[in-house]
Amino acid sequence: MLEVFRESPHRRWNPLRRDWVIVSPHRTQRPWQGQTEETAPATTKSYDPECYLCPGNVRAGGHHTPVYAETYVFENDFAALKSDLPSAEFDIERAGLLRATTERGVCRVLCFDPRHDLTLATMDVEAIRRVVDVWAAQELELSRRDDIRYVQIFENRGAMMGASNPHPHGQIWATEHIPDEPAIELTSQAEYFARHGRPLLLDYLELELKLRERIVAENDEWVVLVPFWAVWPFETLLLPRGHVRTLNGLDTKGRDGLAAILKVVTAGYNRVFNAPFPYSMGFHGAPCDSDQHPEWQLHAHFYPPLLRSATIRKFMVGFELLGSPQRDITPESAAETLRSVMSETT
Ligand SMILES: [Zn+2]
Ligand SMILES: [Zn+2]
């Protein structure tokens, strides 16, 4: 990279979201007098009688979590979306100013493990591998429904990200419409594919593997990198080496590789500040509408909020809410930090 970009403020283009991020490398030395967060003590009990996700416990509304041995999926008792709705829409005076449509969908919870005190970072790879199979099976089942066009699989980890329960679990939301983030990525990938005849993210990965400035971990099937356009300080992008559009499109080796790399990433994150590392992570697979989506490449985003210690988080406020996002630590120096913690054996 040109020297001026290592030391001076500049902006970087995100070809996937079609927006810019401002990078201010010279600001990393500024003193911090802002807010610090409490760190939640690590959970130590393997079973919590108060936890509604622990085997055998009662959930809201009298539902029962069964005694499960590996993973457990159920419809969210307080689902944000419902599937048994009549379809309706309005657009007052057809001005496009006051528009709404009904949104049908399904919200499910997936318990990764019966043990209350584990996380993806501390589960063994075989257990994570079972979670990968459940993700793929859920994606396949929901994507076959006529009323579903997108299946979003995600995990919120840590109280800082609003996770209400430390029990290892994630969520699956399936919606009638393609949500905004994957919709923007669809437009970008489709236009790139029309112009170049290759998936955008495969070409991007090829460039990153050539430069090797932002790669943080890899195995035979998957690569983890800090994207050139990362907004969150320690944001990462997980990419399969080959072209695959969905989780259920991953073969056995692809699934094995994903389970192994998820362990490396989540365990490595916990070593950045030697404390549980909060994040939102999720998979972006191809939409399940009528199209085949040759342009789409499966990937996962990790968005961790921490900035410079386990108690200092990044806020998206001021210019970032009103203008565009900005970061101080360069993606290259974040990659260096992550590379060293993720290369330690787990
Ligand atoms: Zn629990
Ligand atoms: Zn994405």
Side-chain angles (χ1 to χ4, degrees), residues 51 53-54 116 167:
C51 169
L53 301 178
C54 274
H116 186 79
H167 195 108

Side-chain angles (χ1 to χ4, degrees), residues 10-78:
H10 58 277
R11 59 180 197 154
R12 297 188 183 191
W13 173 242
N14 179 342
L16 205 50
R17 290 200 77 256
R18 305 174 156 222
D19 55 15
W20 297 89
V21 52
I22 294 176
V23 184
S24 315
H26 62 294
R27 285 225 308 177
T28 46
Q29 297 312 315
R30 92 199 144 106
W32 181 264
Q33 292 183 312
Q35 180 173 342
T36 58
E37 311 269 340
E38 295 288 322
T39 46
T43 308
T44 50
K45 341 179 228 197
S46 61
Y47 168 79
D48 179 354
E50 302 296 316
C51 169
Y52 61 92
L53 301 178
C54 274
N57 289 356
V58 179
R59 304 201 305 270
H63 297 282
H64 235 82
T65 298
V67 177
Y68 58 100
E70 294 177 342
T71 56
Y72 171 57
V73 181
F74 63 94
E75 304 276 329
N76 194 317
D77 302 319
F78 300 99

Side-chain angles (χ1 to χ4, degrees), residues 16-17 150 152 181-182 185 189 201 237 282-285 296-301 303:
L16 205 50
R17 290 200 77 256
Y150 201 76
Q152 181 61 60
E181 290 289 319
E185 293 186 355
Q189 292 180 96
L201 283 173
L237 181 66
F283 291 94
H284 277 155
W296 196 282
Q297 174 72 338
L298 171 71
H299 57 279
H301 299 279
Y303 297 128

